[in-house]
Amino acid sequence: MARALIVVDVQNDFCEGGSLPVPGGARVAADINELLHRWHARGEDAPSYDVVVATKDHHVDPGSHWSVKPDFVESWPVHCKVGTEGAAFHPNLDPQPFDEVFCKGEHEAAYSGFEGRTTSGEALADWLRARKVEEVDVCGIATDHCVRATALDGAGAGFTTRVLTALCAGVAEESTAAAITELAGAGVEIA
C-alpha cells in the first residue's frame, strides 16, 4: 500500500506579503520544506512517503472567483494569477522534491487539489491510483479552504486521508475549527 503527501497551495499570494495572506503561511512553508528534505534524504527520521506532490492555484481568468469587492466567501481579491510572482511557490518551500505538481482553477474557482491536473492533463486521483497510492496525508494553505476541500475529496475518492494540522495554516480560528470538525465527521484523520 503506497502513501502520498499532498502539499496544498503553498504559494506567495497565500503567505504574508501576498494578495490573500494567511497568518503563519511562511512558517508552514518552512516546516513543510524541512519535512520534504528529511523525506528526500531518506534518513532514519524520514517520513514514509512513496510520492510527494503539490497543488497550486493557477488562475488565468476565474470569472466571479476574483472581485474588486470580494465577499471572502465566494469571491476573493486577485490571487495566484498565472505568470505572476504571487502564483509561485513560497521561497521557504523548495519544490525540487515534488514528484508532480497539479494546477487548478485556470478559468473557475477551484479549491480541491483533486480538481488539479498535471501539465499533460492527468487528474490527481488518477495519478495517485496509477502509483498504487491508497493513503494520503494533506498539509498546506489554507486549512479552512483548500486543505479542507482536498482532504474531503481525497476521502470521497476512497483514499485513507489524514490532515497534518501542524503543517497547515488557516484563515481564521473559527472557520479552521469548523473545517476540522467537518473533516473528522467525514472520516478524515486529524493528526
Side-chain angles (χ1 to χ4, degrees), residues 5-188:
L5 176 68
I6 303 172
V7 178
V8 177
D9 299 0
V10 181
Q11 295 167 264
N12 288 324
D13 273 347
F14 296 137
C15 294
E16 295 82 353
S19 66
L20 198 53
V22 176
R27 176 196 52 81
V28 162
D31 291 348
I32 292 171
N33 195 60
E34 192 273 327
L35 175 86
L36 289 174
H37 282 280
R38 283 191 292 119
W39 172 78
H40 193 42
R42 306 282 201 266
E44 284 184 27
D45 67 338
S48 59
Y49 295 113
D50 297 287
V51 293
V52 294
V53 300
T55 70
K56 289 177 86 174
D57 255 20
H58 190 74
H59 298 312
V60 174
D61 181 10
S64 62
H65 183 62
W66 283 347
S67 175
V68 292
K69 294 184 179 180
D71 63 14
F72 296 94
V73 177
E74 298 292 327
S75 62
W76 308 89
V78 173
H79 61 278
C80 300
K81 184 175 182 178
V82 172
T84 67
E85 191 59 31
F89 286 116
H90 190 274
N92 288 352
L93 179 69
D94 177 4
Q96 294 305 313
F98 293 132
D99 292 299
E100 190 59 81
V101 176
F102 296 83
C103 294
K104 58 189 176 68
E106 283 187 356
H107 298 285
E108 60 194 2
Y111 295 92
S112 171
F114 284 89
E115 296 174 82
R117 297 197 173 272
T118 64
T119 55
S120 65
E122 190 172 13
L124 176 56
D126 295 337
W127 191 93
L128 292 171
R129 286 188 184 108
R131 285 146 187 85
K132 310 291 188 228
V133 170
E134 295 181 21
E135 298 180 352
V136 296
D137 285 355
V138 182
C139 63
I141 304 170
T143 314
D144 36 355
H145 293 284
C146 295
V147 168
R148 175 192 151 276
T150 301
L152 287 172
D153 282 356
F159 297 99
T160 301
T161 305
R162 180 171 69 162
V163 171
L164 307 177
T165 57
L167 296 177
C168 293
V171 172
E173 271 186 49
E174 186 175 300
S175 55
T176 296
I180 296 297
T181 299
E182 180 182 8
L183 289 164
V188 174

